[in-house]
Amino acid sequence: MKVLALSGGVGGARLLDGLYELSPSMTAVVNTGDDFVHCGLSVCPDLDTVMYTLSGLADETRGWGLKDETFGALEQIRAFGGPDWFALGDRDLATHLLRTDAMRRGESLSAVTSRLCGALGITARIVPMSDEPCPTLVDTVGEGTLSFQHWLVRRRGEPEVQAIRFEHRPPPAPGLLRAIEGADVVIIGPSNPYVSIDPILRLEGVRQALQEKVVVAVSPIVGGRAIKGPLATMIPQLAGVPASADAIARHYGSLLSGMVVEHGDSVTGLPVLATETIMKSRNERVALAQRVLAFAAERLR
Ligand code: FO1
C-alpha cells in the first residue's frame, strides 16, 4: 500500500517514525511554515525533526534537535549579547550551515532536503510542502503580528491568538501533487492543524488532490489536552469551542475519511477508530501506525 503522510511538529514526526518502519519507501510532506532565518541561517524545524527522528538521531526528550548535543556556540552567542532565545545546538548547526550554503548556491529546498536525508540513510521521500518561503504569522492580542518562532519560542506561545495568517501562497513543491495522486492512503499525523497541517492544505491543488483520496487523521487532542504544544488553548481562541478530538474533526471537515482518537474520546459524523494513541516508545509508534494503516485500508474498500 502506497502511504503518504502530512506532517508537522513533534507528534507528527513520531507517528511518521512508526509509518516509516512499516513502509520504508513512503512519502512524507512536511510543513515549512515554521521556517525562518536565524543569524543568517535557514532553519527548517519540522523538516529537521522528521530527518532526525527517522534517522534515529533525534533528542527524544527535548522533542527537537539532535541527541548528544552541546551548545557551545549558543553560549558564545550569549556572551556576545546575541540572540540566544532560539537554541541552535553545535551539531544541529551543521544542518543549517550546509542547507543555507546549498540554497545560496541555488539548490532547492527539496533537493537539499533529499540530499541530507539520503546522507543519513533515510529511504522515505521527505518533501517540503513548498520550495518557496511560506512563513506562518500569528496575529496576537496585544502584541500585534509575530512570526511563528517568535510567538512559539521567544514568547512561549503565551500571547492569545486572534488568527493564524500566511502572507504568501507559493506553489507546492515539485512532485508533491503527483505524490498525493499516487498514494493509496494519506495519513495526517497528530499535528497542530492550524500551524502544521493547514499551511500544507492551503497550497494550490492540495485539497483537490486529497478529495479523491482516503485521508485518515490521528487526533492531536487526547481527553481535551494536547500532548505537546499550545494547541489546547488555540482551539478555543481560534474556533471558539473547547479543545476536543471532535473539534479537530470539524476543523478538517469533509477532507477526512476517518479519524483515529484515544479511548474515551469521540467524534461524530465519520468512521472512528478509538485506540491507544499516546506513543511513549518506538514500539508504540509502530503499533499505532499499524492500527492506523489497517483502519485506513478498511476505508479503501
Ligand atoms: N523549541 C523551543 O521551544 N526552544 C528552542 O530553543 C528551540 C530551538 C530549536 C532549534 C532547532 C529546531 O529545529 C527546532 C527548535 N525548537 C525549539 C523547536 C521548534 O520551535 C518547533 O519544533 C517547531 O517549530 C514546532 O513544531
Side-chain angles (χ1 to χ4, degrees), residues 25-188:
S25 62
M26 71 172 290
T27 299
V29 175
V30 182
N31 170 43
T32 61
D34 297 8
D35 298 4
F36 74 130
V37 176
H38 185 68
C39 298
L41 298 175
S42 294
V43 177
C44 305
D46 284 348
L47 281 169
D48 293 349
T49 298
V50 166
M51 178 166 68
Y52 295 158
T53 301
L54 297 194
S55 60
L57 295 177
D59 182 296
E60 299 293 355
T61 317
R62 223 181 305 119
W64 45 266
L66 289 159
K67 59 188 175 191
D68 312 327
E69 183 61 284
T70 55
F71 292 90
L74 184 70
E75 284 153 27
Q76 194 55 44
I77 285 173
R78 190 170 294 128
F80 282 125
D84 63 350
W85 59 273
F86 193 77
L88 291 179
D90 297 325
R91 297 176 70 219
D92 189 32
L93 275 171
T95 306
H96 311 308
L97 290 168
L98 293 179
R99 174 167 50 220
T100 303
D101 179 45
M103 288 169 72
R104 201 171 284 148
R105 281 187 280 105
E107 192 172 4
S108 70
L109 181 57
S110 294
V112 68
T113 300
S114 169
R115 191 159 52 75
L116 295 178
C117 288
L120 296 182
I122 295 171
T123 55
R125 194 175 158 212
I126 311 300
V127 182
M129 69 184 201
S130 175
D131 279 342
E132 311 302 326
C134 185
T136 299
L137 299 174
V138 183
D139 286 344
T140 70
V141 175
E143 297 184 32
T145 300
L146 301 177
S147 74
F148 180 75
Q149 296 299 344
H150 187 147
W151 174 73
L152 179 75
V153 178
R154 195 167 186 179
R155 296 289 293 108
R156 289 182 299 284
E158 284 161 7
E160 185 180 334
V161 178
Q162 261 172 354
I164 297 295
R165 241 171 357 96
F166 308 91
E167 263 171 1
H168 308 301
R169 191 170 186 236
L176 191 156
L177 296 179
R178 236 186 354 271
I180 293 176
E181 280 144 22
D184 292 315
V185 294
V186 175
I187 308 297
I188 298 180

Side-chain angles (χ1 to χ4, degrees), residues 2-13:
K2 279 181 173 296
V3 179
L4 183 137
L6 306 184
S7 181
V10 176

Side-chain angles (χ1 to χ4, degrees), residues 277-298:
T277 60
I278 310 229
M279 300 170 274
K280 289 188 292 293
S281 68
R282 192 158 193 282
N283 290 346
E284 290 182 3
R285 295 176 186 179
V286 178
L288 174 59
Q290 218 135 29
R291 295 194 291 272
V292 170
L293 289 180
F295 177 65
E298 283 161 28

